[in-house]
Amino acid sequence: MNKIFIEAGHKGTTEYNFIQTILVKYFQRKEYEIVTMGCAENLFNETNMNIISKANTKNVQVLVLVDADTVKKGWGYNKRKEWIEKGISKYKVSFQYFIYPNNQGDGDVEVLMESSARKDLHEYFFNCFNKYKECIVKRKDEREQSIYNSPDLKTELHAYIKAQTEYDVKNKIRKPLDINNGNYLFDNPDYWNLDVENLQSLKDFFSKFLK
């Protein structure tokens, strides 16, 4: 049995669905429970420490997945790793951890999602979206600062999947995909390729530590 802690606050999130899809596709014989934390900083709170300590005594494997984030946001891979190691030592718990996106560099889980997007099939969308991003940042104020925020990866991924349509044969019209609760259809190869090289480090982590 495995307990897998992720940053997501509940099951209806993109991270939860993304990890769940990977586990179902590549590790279907493993037993696991995905535990949602709300944010990385909640990892060492009383509730999660109790769960992890209890799992340790019962020989249940604990895996933790958190974003490295960036130095600009006050974190980055090195700082996140140091923070985790100090917490393990302070609370005397044991678990294996993976720091998105690749256990060695800055970034987050959205980096993995973005690299899995089928840009080969939807090049037109990404070309248009990139032009949009380039255009809005050109609008400056009197101090030559951009008036508009450039969309982050999370926003881009949401726009990508919400832009998709499917043909309704019965009514002979195209209609939006039925996307809800963070389910971005990660198991659909028309939109995602979970065999990309950038996902290999995460899959290697699961292969090594899932009991």
Side-chain angles (χ1 to χ4, degrees):
M1 181 61 180
N2 305 272
K3 286 188 179 293
I4 304 172
F5 286 73
I6 63 174
E7 289 195 35
H10 53 86
K11 294 182 178 181
T13 62
T14 53
E15 183 191 8
Y16 187 99
N17 283 284
F18 184 63
I19 295 302
Q20 173 82 344
T21 302
I22 291 173
L23 291 169
V24 168
K25 181 173 182 178
Y26 300 102
F27 305 97
Q28 61 269 33
R29 295 185 178 181
K30 302 294 184 179
E31 293 185 13
Y32 58 85
E33 176 191 1
I34 299 178
V35 181
T36 56
M37 299 187 291
C39 67
E41 286 69 28
N42 285 339
L43 173 59
F44 294 108
N45 68 19
E46 183 177 358
T47 298
N48 290 324
M49 285 299 94
N50 287 338
I51 295 172
I52 293 175
S53 295
K54 187 175 181 180
N56 287 166
T57 62
K58 293 187 175 183
N59 198 33
V60 173
Q61 179 73 297
V62 177
L63 306 180
V64 172
L65 311 178
V66 294
D67 292 337
D69 280 324
T70 62
V71 174
K72 186 177 181 180
K73 291 182 178 180
W75 286 98
Y77 172 78
N78 291 330
K79 186 174 181 179
R80 182 70 77 188
K81 180 178 175 65
E82 181 182 7
W83 175 76
I84 292 173
E85 290 292 343
K86 285 183 177 179
I88 290 174
S89 177
K90 177 180 178 180
Y91 294 99
K92 296 180 173 56
V93 291
S94 175
F95 57 81
Q96 303 297 331
Y97 58 88
F98 183 90
I99 302 177
Y100 298 126
N102 55 18
N103 238 0
Q104 61 182 358
D106 294 357
D108 48 39
V109 67
E110 281 78 22
V111 172
L112 297 182
M113 296 179 191
E114 189 267 345
S115 68
S116 306
R118 291 298 305 270
K119 294 181 180 179
D120 55 328
L121 297 181
H122 303 285
E123 181 180 9
Y124 188 87
F125 169 85
F126 286 101
N127 285 342
C128 290
F129 199 86
N130 286 334
K131 290 177 182 177
Y132 159 70
K133 290 192 295 183
E134 292 170 2
C135 179
I136 63 171
V137 296
K138 292 179 181 178
R139 180 65 171 168
K140 310 284 187 179
D141 62 17
E142 63 276 8
R143 293 172 293 275
E144 286 300 306
Q145 296 179 358
S146 295
I147 293 176
Y148 304 113
N149 288 321
S150 180
D152 59 15
L153 268 183
K154 186 175 291 187
T155 301
E156 182 171 348
L157 291 167
H158 182 75
Y160 166 64
I161 200 64
K162 291 295 286 186
Q164 306 298 335
T165 63
E166 60 185 351
Y167 187 70
D168 184 335
V169 177
K170 181 179 179 180
N171 295 308
K172 297 182 179 180
I173 58 171
R174 296 199 71 84
K175 61 180 184 179
L177 294 179
D178 185 15
I179 304 296
N180 55 69
N181 294 328
N183 183 1
Y184 282 12
L185 308 179
F186 290 112
D187 59 345
N188 191 323
D190 289 335
Y191 312 113
W192 311 96
N193 175 14
L194 300 183
D195 291 319
V196 293
E197 181 63 28
N198 283 357
L199 278 180
Q200 193 57 49
S201 59
L202 177 59
K203 287 186 280 188
D204 287 346
F205 171 79
F206 283 140
S207 294
K208 183 175 181 179
F209 295 114
L210 280 174
K211 287 186 176 181

